[in-house]
Amino acid sequence: MQILSPMVSKAQLTQSVPARLASCRILGKVTGKFESSIVKKDLLPLVRSLCQDVEYEVRSCMCRQLENIARGIGVDLTKVEVLPELVELAQDESSTVILAAFDTIINLLEMFDSAVEVVAKKTADSMDSWKQVMDDRTCVIFPLVKAFCEKCFKADEAALTSLSCQYGKLCHGLSDSFTDEQHLWFLEFYKKLCCLGLQHENGHCESQPYPLELENKYALVRRNCAYNFPAMVLFADPNHFLSELYHTFSSLCHDPEISVRKTAAEGFHEVVKLLGPNVHYVHKEIITLLQDDSLEVLDALLNNLQETLEKATSRGEGAGPESKQVNVPDLVPALVVAEQKAASSLRWRVHEKLLLCYSCLPRVISGDQIYFRFLPRMFSIITTNNVLPVQREAARTLCVFLRYNRKQEQRQEIISKIVQELAQGRSYWNRLRYLDLCEIIIDLFSKSYFCKHFLIPALELVSDPVANVRYKICYMLPKLRSTIRPAEKRLLQQLEFCLRKLLCCEKDKDVVATLHRIVLEVDKMDITEQYHKTHERELLDQKKEKEETLLLEMERLERQQSEVKLVGEKHGDKKRRDSKTSLSGSKGMSGSTLGATSSTSTGKEMRRAKLSRSRSLSHPTTPKMTNSEKTLKVKDSGSCPGSVKSTMLPINDDSLRPHHFNASSSISSTPSTSSMPVLIRSNTSSSVDHRSNGSKDTQSRKLSVQRKSNSFGMQSGRE
C-alpha cells in the first residue's frame, strides 16, 4: 500500500509527463504482485486513464506495459479489460502509439496460445472456452492487424519497418485461426514486403530511384523479411514452397542490398532443414551465395555451411546408404571460387572459417573430386600462405581428406607428398607445419597408422639444423611416446636413441632446458598415468583402427564391384558384337541358301523331266549301271529273251531321235529368269551362252549312252 498511494497520485493529469511515464512503468512491474481485488478496484481504472492520456508519449508507454499487466492478471481479465484498450490504441492518431499497440498484440499471442493449451486439457466447458479464444483471435485481432498492415503499407514507412520485423511471429501465432482466404492474404502481403522498393527486369532485382532515406527504410524492410523467411516457410507449408515462396526467396538472395543477402545467408540452414526432401529447390541459391561478391555474405553463410551442405546433398530420412549423396550442380567450382576470393582478401578469419567448413566435404562430394580439386590447394596453402591459423586449418582439413579417402593409391600418394614437401622440405617453416600436422594426425588416426607412416620422419627431425624445429620436436616427444605400444620394441629403441642424441649433441640452451623437462615427463608416463585414462584411450584407438579397417574393406568391395561391372560391360559389348555379326551372317546365309535352293530345285526339275521322257522312250530306264547290275540284267534276259526284245526294240527306232533332241533342248530352256531368285537373276543374262553350250554337251553324252544301251540290248537279244 505504500507503493500504491504515490503511484496513483503521480498518475494524475496534474502531474508532469515524466512523472506519469514513471507511474506507467511502475504499474507494469507491480500489477502481478497485488491481489486480484486490489487490481480490479484500484489498478485497472488507473491503467485505463493512462491509456487515454492526452500525451502520446504516455499512451505509448502505457501500451507497452499492457503485456506485463496482462500476464499478471490472467487471460479472463485481459479479454475484458486489456483487449478493448488495445483495440482503441491500435486506432490512435499517433503512429508511435499504433506501433506500440501492434507490438503488444503480437507479444500477447503467445499468452493466447498457452491459454488454448490449458483450456484444451480441461473437460466440461473446454470446447466453449476454446471457441471463445479462437473467436477473439478471428473476430478481434485479425481485422485489427489487417487494417494496421494496410495502413502501414500505404502511408507509414516507420511502422512498416516494425511490422516487417514482427511479421513472422504474427503469422505463426495466428496461423491456427486463419481461414484459407486470410492465410492467402497474409502470404501475399509478405511477398509485397519482400519486393518493396525493387523492380524486376530480365529476372534481376534492381533498386528503384527513391530518396536515400526512403531507400534505406525499404532495404531495412526487406532485411526483416529475409530474417522472417524461415517462419514464413513454416506458415506456407514446406510442401508448397516451390509454388508460393521460391521466387520470393530467390529475390532475397539476389537483392541489390548486401544486408538483405547477408540476412538470407544467415537463415539459409533453417530453410534447408524445413524443406527436407525438397531441398533441391534451393541448390541454385546456395551457389549464388557462395559466389557472392561481398565477403560479408560469404561470412554469414559460413556460420552454418557444413549443416547446409550436408542437408542439401542428402536425400532425407529413409534413403539407403547407396543413394546418400545428391549432386549439387556447380558446387565444386563455387567452393573453389569462394576460397580464392577469401584467400585474396585481407580477412584471413573468413578464409580460416571456410577451410574449417571444407572438413565436411568427404560427406558431400566424391573422393576423386576432393583429390583432384581441393588437395593440391591445401598443400599450396600450407606451403605458401603467410597466416599461421590459416596454415594450421589447411593442415587439419588435409588430414580429414586423408582420413576419409577410400583409395589406397591416393592415400599413399598423399602421405608421400606430405613427407617429401613438409617433413623433408627445404624451408624450416614447412618442417614445423609437418610437426603440427603430426599432432592432428595423432588425434584423427589410430596409433598404428601414425607409427607406420609418420613417426619415423618426425623422429628424423631431431637432427634438424634449425633450433626451432628441434625445440618443437622436443615439446612433442611425450605425444610421440604415447603412440608407441610396449610391444613395438624397435620404435621404442629409435625414440630412446633420438633422446640420447639430443642430450649429447644439443647446444641451444632453450632446447636443452625443454629437453630435460620432457625427459622427466617421458620417464613418469608409465608410472603416474591412471589405468582408466589409458583404458579409455585404448578403446578409442581400437575404434579408430576398426574404422580404418572398414575403409579398406569398403575400398576392396568397391574395387570388386567396379571390376564386375567392367567385366559385365565387356561381356555385354561382346554379345552385342556377336549378335550383330550373326545377324549379318544369317542374312547372307539366307540369301545364299535361297539361291542354292532355287538352283537345286531347277536342276531337280530338269532331271525329273529328262527322266520322264527317257521312261516314255523305253520302259526299263537304263542309267549308268554298275557291273553287278549289268550281270543281273544279263541273267534276267537269259530267262526271258522275248521280253527283252520287246522292251529294247523301241530304242533302235531312229525316227524317235529327232523328237528326243527337240524335247531335251526345249527342256533345257524351260526355267525362265522370272522364277529365279534375285541373287541369281543378275547373272542369268551373262550365263545364257554357257548354259546353251552345256545343254549341247549333255545331249551328246545322253545320245552316246542311249546308243550303248541299244547295242547292249541287241547283243543280249542275239544271245
Side-chain angles (χ1 to χ4, degrees), residues 537-701:
R537 282 203 296 268
E538 287 298 326
L539 291 177
L540 182 61
D541 188 66
Q542 291 176 6
K543 182 180 178 182
K544 293 177 182 178
E545 284 188 0
K546 288 181 180 179
E547 291 176 357
E548 292 164 2
T549 307
L550 181 61
L551 282 175
L552 293 175
E553 186 67 21
M554 291 172 65
E555 177 193 0
R556 187 181 63 82
L557 291 175
E558 288 177 358
R559 188 175 298 174
Q560 289 180 356
Q561 290 177 359
S562 61
E563 290 176 357
V564 170
K565 186 177 179 181
L566 185 61
V567 170
E569 289 178 355
K570 289 182 178 179
H571 188 63
D573 293 339
K574 186 177 179 181
K575 277 187 173 182
R576 285 192 292 271
R577 288 196 300 267
D578 293 343
S579 63
K580 287 180 181 179
T581 53
S582 62
L583 184 60
S584 60
S586 62
K587 288 181 179 179
M589 288 290 291
S590 62
S592 60
T593 50
L594 284 173
T597 51
S598 61
S599 60
T600 52
S601 61
T602 53
K604 287 179 180 180
E605 290 175 358
M606 292 172 64
R607 285 196 294 273
R608 286 174 183 173
K610 293 176 183 179
L611 186 59
S612 61
R613 284 174 176 77
S614 62
R615 284 178 179 175
S616 63
L617 294 175
S618 59
H619 294 284
T621 59
T622 57
K624 291 183 179 180
M625 296 181 290
T626 59
N627 294 329
S628 60
E629 290 174 347
K630 289 180 181 180
T631 55
L632 182 60
K633 285 194 175 185
V634 168
K635 291 179 182 179
D636 293 337
S637 63
S639 61
C640 301
S643 63
V644 174
K645 284 182 181 180
S646 61
T647 56
M648 289 301 182
L649 280 176
I651 301 176
N652 294 326
D653 191 1
D654 295 333
S655 62
L656 295 175
R657 289 174 187 169
H659 172 73
H660 174 71
F661 290 145
N662 296 330
S664 62
S665 61
S666 64
I667 290 172
S668 64
S669 61
T670 50
S672 62
T673 58
S674 62
S675 63
M676 295 182 182
V678 177
L679 294 175
I680 301 176
R681 282 180 201 165
S682 60
N683 298 326
T684 52
S685 60
S686 62
S687 60
V688 171
D689 298 334
H690 177 71
R691 287 185 178 179
S692 61
N693 295 331
S695 61
K696 290 179 181 180
D697 295 336
T698 53
Q699 289 174 5
S700 61
R701 283 197 294 271

Side-chain angles (χ1 to χ4, degrees), residues 33-94:
K33 307 294 183 182
F34 290 99
E35 296 179 359
S36 59
S37 59
I38 298 175
V39 170
K40 291 179 181 179
K41 181 180 178 181
D42 298 323
L43 296 184
L44 288 180
L46 187 60
V47 168
R48 284 194 295 268
S49 68
L50 289 173
C51 288
Q52 298 171 4
D53 197 277
V54 293
E55 297 292 336
Y56 76 92
E57 294 98 336
V58 178
R59 297 197 303 272
S60 175
C61 183
M62 191 65 249
C63 184
R64 293 193 180 277
Q65 297 301 321
L66 288 178
E67 177 185 356
N68 296 327
I69 294 172
R71 295 183 187 279
I73 64 177
V75 179
D76 295 333
L77 279 177
T78 299
K79 290 188 294 182
V80 176
E81 300 290 341
V82 176
L83 197 57
E85 296 297 330
L86 273 176
V87 173
E88 187 175 351
L89 289 171
Q91 299 172 356
D92 198 274
E93 59 185 11
S94 174

